[in-house]
Amino acid sequence: MTLFNYWHYIVFFVIFLLSIAGIVSAVKQKNKKLVYSMIFSIILVTVFMAVFSVMIVDKYTKKVQLEKLHNKRLLSTEEIAYYGIVRNVGKFPIGKVTFEIKLVNKGHATGNVKGGNFYKPSGFMDFFSGGFGMGSHKPQTITKKFVVARNLKPGQAKAFRVYFRYPPYFRSTAEFAKAYGH
């Protein structure tokens, strides 16, 4: 759930006015067979506009900065730990801060790309046996998301630490980390 600020309410008000204007014009329609379908279409478009506007307003008003990001590989448990600080650098409070880490194996990271890294030939039987663990597919990219802070006020920072399983076959891994707020 996202925290709303005054920009959210302004956008919702404009969308509400547009939907009322659309419904009024649909009711004044001369062809009465089209009224219900027009009202349904207006409501559907209004809901989509509201959902997308929440995402757009969140993107431009809730700014999170990732600071002092470090990682440590724990060989005894085959895990990797990421720790750092997330800071709200925007003017509005943030309800939830999500930390996303993407690990890419050596072929993609170092430029040593082979065809086998992207394409794995499969046969007719692989279609049926893929879900039973019979194949030896090893993903070359891993993306993990963690909620690392809640209710972050403007200017406030919070330290975090996350753990997850590290694939033992990864070599020369490239890391792509980002944090974003909702």
Side-chain angles (χ1 to χ4, degrees):
M1 180 78 184
T2 185
L3 287 180
F4 290 159
N5 54 44
Y6 62 85
W7 287 108
H8 288 96
Y9 295 117
I10 291 172
V11 170
F12 286 152
F13 183 69
V14 169
I15 291 172
F16 176 73
L17 290 178
L18 288 173
S19 66
I20 294 298
I23 290 173
V24 167
S25 66
V27 171
K28 290 183 177 180
Q29 186 67 254
K30 291 180 183 177
N31 188 353
K32 296 300 178 187
K33 293 179 182 178
L34 298 176
V35 172
Y36 293 116
S37 61
M38 287 179 66
I39 290 175
F40 176 75
S41 299
I42 291 167
I43 291 173
L44 189 66
V45 169
T46 301
V47 168
F48 280 125
M49 285 174 48
V51 169
F52 286 122
S53 69
V54 166
M55 291 189 293
I56 291 169
V57 170
D58 276 353
K59 181 177 180 173
Y60 289 107
T61 60
K62 299 183 179 180
K63 300 180 190 283
V64 179
Q65 185 176 0
L66 193 57
E67 300 173 352
K68 299 181 183 178
L69 181 66
H70 300 287
N71 65 7
K72 184 176 182 181
R73 194 154 168 212
L74 309 170
L75 297 175
S76 62
T77 60
E78 292 186 3
E79 290 183 329
I80 189 163
Y82 281 90
Y83 52 96
I85 298 171
V86 288
R87 181 179 308 276
N88 182 354
V89 294
K91 299 177 183 176
F92 303 101
I94 297 175
K96 181 172 66 169
V97 177
T98 304
F99 170 69
E100 179 180 317
I101 184 75
K102 181 178 180 180
L103 301 177
V104 181
N105 203 3
K106 82 172 182 184
H108 311 297
T110 61
N112 183 16
V113 179
K114 299 178 185 140
N117 291 346
F118 292 105
Y119 175 73
K120 180 181 178 270
S122 63
F124 180 72
M125 290 306 291
D126 287 343
F127 178 74
F128 296 106
S129 65
F132 299 112
M134 298 174 94
S136 61
H137 176 67
K138 295 181 180 179
Q140 301 299 312
T141 302
I142 294 176
T143 304
K144 299 284 184 177
K145 294 181 182 181
F146 303 94
V147 175
V148 294
R150 292 190 185 274
N151 299 326
L152 218 56
K153 307 270 186 270
Q156 187 179 13
K158 184 169 189 237
F160 70 92
R161 180 180 302 254
V162 294
Y163 299 91
F164 62 93
R165 306 275 302 159
Y166 188 82
Y169 58 89
F170 270 31
R171 305 280 186 265
S172 303
T173 307
E175 304 169 357
F176 303 98
K178 66 179 178 178
Y180 49 90
H182 300 293

PDB file of all heavy atoms in Angstrom, residues 84-109:
ATOM      1  N   GLY A  84      23.278  -1.901   3.807  1.00  0.00           N
ATOM      2  CA  GLY A  84      23.468  -0.512   3.429  1.00  0.00           C
ATOM      3  C   GLY A  84      22.431   0.362   4.104  1.00  0.00           C
ATOM      4  O   GLY A  84      21.809  -0.023   5.094  1.00  0.00           O
ATOM      5  N   ILE A  85      22.230   1.534   3.515  1.00  0.00           N
ATOM      6  CA  ILE A  85      21.301   2.519   4.071  1.00  0.00           C
ATOM      7  C   ILE A  85      20.401   3.015   2.940  1.00  0.00           C
ATOM      8  O   ILE A  85      20.870   3.278   1.835  1.00  0.00           O
ATOM      9  CB  ILE A  85      22.073   3.707   4.685  1.00  0.00           C
ATOM     10  CG1 ILE A  85      22.953   3.223   5.837  1.00  0.00           C
ATOM     11  CG2 ILE A  85      21.124   4.790   5.153  1.00  0.00           C
ATOM     12  CD1 ILE A  85      23.900   4.282   6.366  1.00  0.00           C
ATOM     13  N   VAL A  86      19.115   3.140   3.234  1.00  0.00           N
ATOM     14  CA  VAL A  86      18.184   3.786   2.304  1.00  0.00           C
ATOM     15  C   VAL A  86      17.749   5.109   2.927  1.00  0.00           C
ATOM     16  O   VAL A  86      17.498   5.190   4.119  1.00  0.00           O
ATOM     17  CB  VAL A  86      16.955   2.905   1.989  1.00  0.00           C
ATOM     18  CG1 VAL A  86      17.329   1.754   1.103  1.00  0.00           C
ATOM     19  CG2 VAL A  86      16.276   2.407   3.232  1.00  0.00           C
ATOM     20  N   ARG A  87      17.717   6.155   2.109  1.00  0.00           N
ATOM     21  CA  ARG A  87      17.370   7.488   2.589  1.00  0.00           C
ATOM     22  C   ARG A  87      16.274   8.079   1.715  1.00  0.00           C
ATOM     23  O   ARG A  87      16.327   8.017   0.494  1.00  0.00           O
ATOM     24  CB  ARG A  87      18.601   8.393   2.557  1.00  0.00           C
ATOM     25  CG  ARG A  87      18.343   9.800   3.066  1.00  0.00           C
ATOM     26  CD  ARG A  87      19.590  10.662   3.031  1.00  0.00           C
ATOM     27  NE  ARG A  87      20.726  10.047   3.688  1.00  0.00           N
ATOM     28  CZ  ARG A  87      20.959  10.102   5.004  1.00  0.00           C
ATOM     29  NH1 ARG A  87      20.124  10.726   5.791  1.00  0.00           N
ATOM     30  NH2 ARG A  87      22.023   9.529   5.517  1.00  0.00           N
ATOM     31  N   ASN A  88      15.277   8.677   2.360  1.00  0.00           N
ATOM     32  CA  ASN A  88      14.210   9.379   1.663  1.00  0.00           C
ATOM     33  C   ASN A  88      14.724  10.780   1.342  1.00  0.00           C
ATOM     34  O   ASN A  88      14.862  11.614   2.221  1.00  0.00           O
ATOM     35  CB  ASN A  88      12.961   9.443   2.541  1.00  0.00           C
ATOM     36  CG  ASN A  88      11.802  10.115   1.864  1.00  0.00           C
ATOM     37  OD1 ASN A  88      11.926  10.647   0.767  1.00  0.00           O
ATOM     38  ND2 ASN A  88      10.656  10.097   2.528  1.00  0.00           N
ATOM     39  N   VAL A  89      15.021  11.041   0.076  1.00  0.00           N
ATOM     40  CA  VAL A  89      15.535  12.348  -0.338  1.00  0.00           C
ATOM     41  C   VAL A  89      14.449  13.222  -0.959  1.00  0.00           C
ATOM     42  O   VAL A  89      14.735  14.319  -1.432  1.00  0.00           O
ATOM     43  CB  VAL A  89      16.731  12.192  -1.316  1.00  0.00           C
ATOM     44  CG1 VAL A  89      17.904  11.557  -0.618  1.00  0.00           C
ATOM     45  CG2 VAL A  89      16.329  11.403  -2.547  1.00  0.00           C
ATOM     46  N   GLY A  90      13.215  12.737  -0.937  1.00  0.00           N
ATOM     47  CA  GLY A  90      12.101  13.505  -1.477  1.00  0.00           C
ATOM     48  C   GLY A  90      11.449  14.372  -0.417  1.00  0.00           C
ATOM     49  O   GLY A  90      11.907  14.463   0.723  1.00  0.00           O
ATOM     50  N   LYS A  91      10.346  15.019  -0.804  1.00  0.00           N
ATOM     51  CA  LYS A  91       9.626  15.925   0.096  1.00  0.00           C
ATOM     52  C   LYS A  91       8.410  15.274   0.736  1.00  0.00           C
ATOM     53  O   LYS A  91       7.721  15.899   1.519  1.00  0.00           O
ATOM     54  CB  LYS A  91       9.167  17.163  -0.678  1.00  0.00           C
ATOM     55  CG  LYS A  91      10.290  17.968  -1.266  1.00  0.00           C
ATOM     56  CD  LYS A  91       9.745  19.123  -2.083  1.00  0.00           C
ATOM     57  CE  LYS A  91      10.860  19.893  -2.741  1.00  0.00           C
ATOM     58  NZ  LYS A  91      10.349  20.953  -3.611  1.00  0.00           N
ATOM     59  N   PHE A  92       8.147  13.999   0.410  1.00  0.00           N
ATOM     60  CA  PHE A  92       6.938  13.337   0.877  1.00  0.00           C
ATOM     61  C   PHE A  92       7.293  12.051   1.618  1.00  0.00           C
ATOM     62  O   PHE A  92       8.299  11.411   1.317  1.00  0.00           O
ATOM     63  CB  PHE A  92       6.021  13.007  -0.304  1.00  0.00           C
ATOM     64  CG  PHE A  92       5.651  14.208  -1.118  1.00  0.00           C
ATOM     65  CD1 PHE A  92       6.285  14.487  -2.311  1.00  0.00           C
ATOM     66  CD2 PHE A  92       4.665  15.077  -0.673  1.00  0.00           C
ATOM     67  CE1 PHE A  92       5.946  15.596  -3.057  1.00  0.00           C
ATOM     68  CE2 PHE A  92       4.311  16.186  -1.416  1.00  0.00           C
ATOM     69  CZ  PHE A  92       4.958  16.452  -2.601  1.00  0.00           C
ATOM     70  N   PRO A  93       6.470  11.635   2.584  1.00  0.00           N
ATOM     71  CA  PRO A  93       6.736  10.364   3.278  1.00  0.00           C
ATOM     72  C   PRO A  93       6.541   9.170   2.349  1.00  0.00           C
ATOM     73  O   PRO A  93       5.751   9.219   1.418  1.00  0.00           O
ATOM     74  CB  PRO A  93       5.724  10.349   4.419  1.00  0.00           C
ATOM     75  CG  PRO A  93       4.690  11.340   4.060  1.00  0.00           C
ATOM     76  CD  PRO A  93       5.313  12.337   3.126  1.00  0.00           C
ATOM     77  N   ILE A  94       7.275   8.105   2.640  1.00  0.00           N
ATOM     78  CA  ILE A  94       7.225   6.887   1.832  1.00  0.00           C
ATOM     79  C   ILE A  94       6.697   5.757   2.708  1.00  0.00           C
ATOM     80  O   ILE A  94       7.191   5.535   3.808  1.00  0.00           O
ATOM     81  CB  ILE A  94       8.618   6.538   1.280  1.00  0.00           C
ATOM     82  CG1 ILE A  94       9.105   7.652   0.356  1.00  0.00           C
ATOM     83  CG2 ILE A  94       8.588   5.209   0.547  1.00  0.00           C
ATOM     84  CD1 ILE A  94      10.509   7.458  -0.144  1.00  0.00           C
ATOM     85  N   GLY A  95       5.698   5.049   2.228  1.00  0.00           N
ATOM     86  CA  GLY A  95       5.087   3.973   2.987  1.00  0.00           C
ATOM     87  C   GLY A  95       5.937   2.713   3.030  1.00  0.00           C
ATOM     88  O   GLY A  95       6.051   2.058   4.054  1.00  0.00           O
ATOM     89  N   LYS A  96       6.572   2.367   1.914  1.00  0.00           N
ATOM     90  CA  LYS A  96       7.336   1.136   1.839  1.00  0.00           C
ATOM     91  C   LYS A  96       8.513   1.333   0.887  1.00  0.00           C
ATOM     92  O   LYS A  96       8.331   1.812  -0.232  1.00  0.00           O
ATOM     93  CB  LYS A  96       6.415   0.018   1.345  1.00  0.00           C
ATOM     94  CG  LYS A  96       7.032  -1.326   1.228  1.00  0.00           C
ATOM     95  CD  LYS A  96       6.005  -2.413   0.930  1.00  0.00           C
ATOM     96  CE  LYS A  96       5.385  -2.244  -0.419  1.00  0.00           C
ATOM     97  NZ  LYS A  96       4.584  -3.400  -0.833  1.00  0.00           N
ATOM     98  N   VAL A  97       9.718   0.962   1.327  1.00  0.00           N
ATOM     99  CA  VAL A  97      10.913   1.044   0.491  1.00  0.00           C
ATOM    100  C   VAL A  97      11.306  -0.375   0.108  1.00  0.00           C
ATOM    101  O   VAL A  97      11.485  -1.234   0.969  1.00  0.00           O
ATOM    102  CB  VAL A  97      12.078   1.742   1.218  1.00  0.00           C
ATOM    103  CG1 VAL A  97      13.316   1.744   0.349  1.00  0.00           C
ATOM    104  CG2 VAL A  97      11.701   3.153   1.602  1.00  0.00           C
ATOM    105  N   THR A  98      11.450  -0.609  -1.195  1.00  0.00           N
ATOM    106  CA  THR A  98      11.818  -1.920  -1.706  1.00  0.00           C
ATOM    107  C   THR A  98      13.226  -1.862  -2.275  1.00  0.00           C
ATOM    108  O   THR A  98      13.550  -0.976  -3.061  1.00  0.00           O
ATOM    109  CB  THR A  98      10.839  -2.372  -2.805  1.00  0.00           C
ATOM    110  OG1 THR A  98       9.515  -2.351  -2.277  1.00  0.00           O
ATOM    111  CG2 THR A  98      11.152  -3.769  -3.290  1.00  0.00           C
ATOM    112  N   PHE A  99      14.052  -2.819  -1.855  1.00  0.00           N
ATOM    113  CA  PHE A  99      15.419  -2.961  -2.359  1.00  0.00           C
ATOM    114  C   PHE A  99      15.417  -4.113  -3.352  1.00  0.00           C
ATOM    115  O   PHE A  99      14.952  -5.206  -3.052  1.00  0.00           O
ATOM    116  CB  PHE A  99      16.377  -3.248  -1.199  1.00  0.00           C
ATOM    117  CG  PHE A  99      17.762  -3.636  -1.627  1.00  0.00           C
ATOM    118  CD1 PHE A  99      18.596  -2.715  -2.231  1.00  0.00           C
ATOM    119  CD2 PHE A  99      18.236  -4.922  -1.410  1.00  0.00           C
ATOM    120  CE1 PHE A  99      19.869  -3.075  -2.622  1.00  0.00           C
ATOM    121  CE2 PHE A  99      19.506  -5.281  -1.796  1.00  0.00           C
ATOM    122  CZ  PHE A  99      20.331  -4.359  -2.399  1.00  0.00           C
ATOM    123  N   GLU A 100      15.911  -3.843  -4.564  1.00  0.00           N
ATOM    124  CA  GLU A 100      15.958  -4.864  -5.600  1.00  0.00           C
ATOM    125  C   GLU A 100      17.403  -5.094  -6.003  1.00  0.00           C
ATOM    126  O   GLU A 100      18.129  -4.151  -6.316  1.00  0.00           O
ATOM    127  CB  GLU A 100      15.145  -4.431  -6.814  1.00  0.00           C
ATOM    128  CG  GLU A 100      15.155  -5.431  -7.942  1.00  0.00           C
ATOM    129  CD  GLU A 100      14.343  -4.972  -9.138  1.00  0.00           C
ATOM    130  OE1 GLU A 100      13.242  -4.438  -8.926  1.00  0.00           O
ATOM    131  OE2 GLU A 100      14.817  -5.137 -10.266  1.00  0.00           O
ATOM    132  N   ILE A 101      17.821  -6.344  -5.993  1.00  0.00           N
ATOM    133  CA  ILE A 101      19.176  -6.701  -6.408  1.00  0.00           C
ATOM    134  C   ILE A 101      19.076  -7.695  -7.556  1.00  0.00           C
ATOM    135  O   ILE A 101      18.272  -8.632  -7.515  1.00  0.00           O
ATOM    136  CB  ILE A 101      20.012  -7.276  -5.236  1.00  0.00           C
ATOM    137  CG1 ILE A 101      21.441  -7.547  -5.660  1.00  0.00           C
ATOM    138  CG2 ILE A 101      19.384  -8.511  -4.660  1.00  0.00           C
ATOM    139  CD1 ILE A 101      22.266  -6.305  -5.799  1.00  0.00           C
ATOM    140  N   LYS A 102      19.872  -7.444  -8.595  1.00  0.00           N
ATOM    141  CA  LYS A 102      19.888  -8.327  -9.757  1.00  0.00           C
ATOM    142  C   LYS A 102      21.323  -8.801  -9.941  1.00  0.00           C
ATOM    143  O   LYS A 102      22.238  -7.979 -10.053  1.00  0.00           O
ATOM    144  CB  LYS A 102      19.405  -7.573 -10.991  1.00  0.00           C
ATOM    145  CG  LYS A 102      19.366  -8.392 -12.245  1.00  0.00           C
ATOM    146  CD  LYS A 102      18.817  -7.571 -13.397  1.00  0.00           C
ATOM    147  CE  LYS A 102      18.768  -8.362 -14.669  1.00  0.00           C
ATOM    148  NZ  LYS A 102      18.244  -7.558 -15.773  1.00  0.00           N
ATOM    149  N   LEU A 103      21.518 -10.103  -9.945  1.00  0.00           N
ATOM    150  CA  LEU A 103      22.828 -10.702 -10.155  1.00  0.00           C
ATOM    151  C   LEU A 103      22.847 -11.354 -11.527  1.00  0.00           C
ATOM    152  O   LEU A 103      21.947 -12.118 -11.873  1.00  0.00           O
ATOM    153  CB  LEU A 103      23.122 -11.753  -9.081  1.00  0.00           C
ATOM    154  CG  LEU A 103      23.123 -11.280  -7.639  1.00  0.00           C
ATOM    155  CD1 LEU A 103      23.345 -12.457  -6.706  1.00  0.00           C
ATOM    156  CD2 LEU A 103      24.179 -10.232  -7.426  1.00  0.00           C
ATOM    157  N   VAL A 104      23.896 -11.063 -12.304  1.00  0.00           N
ATOM    158  CA  VAL A 104      24.033 -11.611 -13.645  1.00  0.00           C
ATOM    159  C   VAL A 104      25.345 -12.383 -13.701  1.00  0.00           C
ATOM    160  O   VAL A 104      26.394 -11.859 -13.316  1.00  0.00           O
ATOM    161  CB  VAL A 104      24.018 -10.497 -14.712  1.00  0.00           C
ATOM    162  CG1 VAL A 104      24.133 -11.085 -16.106  1.00  0.00           C
ATOM    163  CG2 VAL A 104      22.767  -9.657 -14.588  1.00  0.00           C
ATOM    164  N   ASN A 105      25.305 -13.607 -14.168  1.00  0.00           N
ATOM    165  CA  ASN A 105      26.476 -14.468 -14.218  1.00  0.00           C
ATOM    166  C   ASN A 105      27.502 -13.983 -15.233  1.00  0.00           C
ATOM    167  O   ASN A 105      27.207 -13.137 -16.070  1.00  0.00           O
ATOM    168  CB  ASN A 105      26.052 -15.907 -14.516  1.00  0.00           C
ATOM    169  CG  ASN A 105      27.062 -16.930 -14.059  1.00  0.00           C
ATOM    170  OD1 ASN A 105      28.081 -16.591 -13.456  1.00  0.00           O
ATOM    171  ND2 ASN A 105      26.785 -18.184 -14.345  1.00  0.00           N
ATOM    172  N   LYS A 106      28.708 -14.555 -15.200  1.00  0.00           N
ATOM    173  CA  LYS A 106      29.885 -14.035 -15.882  1.00  0.00           C
ATOM    174  C   LYS A 106      29.747 -13.773 -17.371  1.00  0.00           C
ATOM    175  O   LYS A 106      30.259 -12.799 -17.858  1.00  0.00           O
ATOM    176  CB  LYS A 106      31.077 -14.938 -15.653  1.00  0.00           C
ATOM    177  CG  LYS A 106      31.133 -16.133 -16.566  1.00  0.00           C
ATOM    178  CD  LYS A 106      32.422 -16.877 -16.407  1.00  0.00           C
ATOM    179  CE  LYS A 106      32.438 -18.040 -17.380  1.00  0.00           C
ATOM    180  NZ  LYS A 106      33.590 -18.847 -17.221  1.00  0.00           N
ATOM    181  N   GLY A 107      29.087 -14.621 -18.105  1.00  0.00           N
ATOM    182  CA  GLY A 107      29.022 -14.429 -19.547  1.00  0.00           C
ATOM    183  C   GLY A 107      28.383 -13.113 -19.925  1.00  0.00           C
ATOM    184  O   GLY A 107      28.843 -12.407 -20.800  1.00  0.00           O
ATOM    185  N   HIS A 108      27.336 -12.740 -19.219  1.00  0.00           N
ATOM    186  CA  HIS A 108      26.632 -11.500 -19.520  1.00  0.00           C
ATOM    187  C   HIS A 108      27.374 -10.304 -18.933  1.00  0.00           C
ATOM    188  O   HIS A 108      27.305  -9.211 -19.448  1.00  0.00           O
ATOM    189  CB  HIS A 108      25.222 -11.542 -18.946  1.00  0.00           C
ATOM    190  CG  HIS A 108      24.505 -12.803 -19.288  1.00  0.00           C
ATOM    191  ND1 HIS A 108      24.206 -13.152 -20.571  1.00  0.00           N
ATOM    192  CD2 HIS A 108      24.058 -13.812 -18.516  1.00  0.00           C
ATOM    193  CE1 HIS A 108      23.592 -14.307 -20.589  1.00  0.00           C
ATOM    194  NE2 HIS A 108      23.490 -14.737 -19.343  1.00  0.00           N
ATOM    195  N   ALA A 109      28.101 -10.497 -17.837  1.00  0.00           N
ATOM    196  CA  ALA A 109      28.731  -9.387 -17.138  1.00  0.00           C
ATOM    197  C   ALA A 109      30.040  -8.965 -17.771  1.00  0.00           C
ATOM    198  O   ALA A 109      30.359  -7.792 -17.830  1.00  0.00           O
ATOM    199  CB  ALA A 109      28.972  -9.769 -15.683  1.00  0.00           C
TER     200      ALA A 109
END
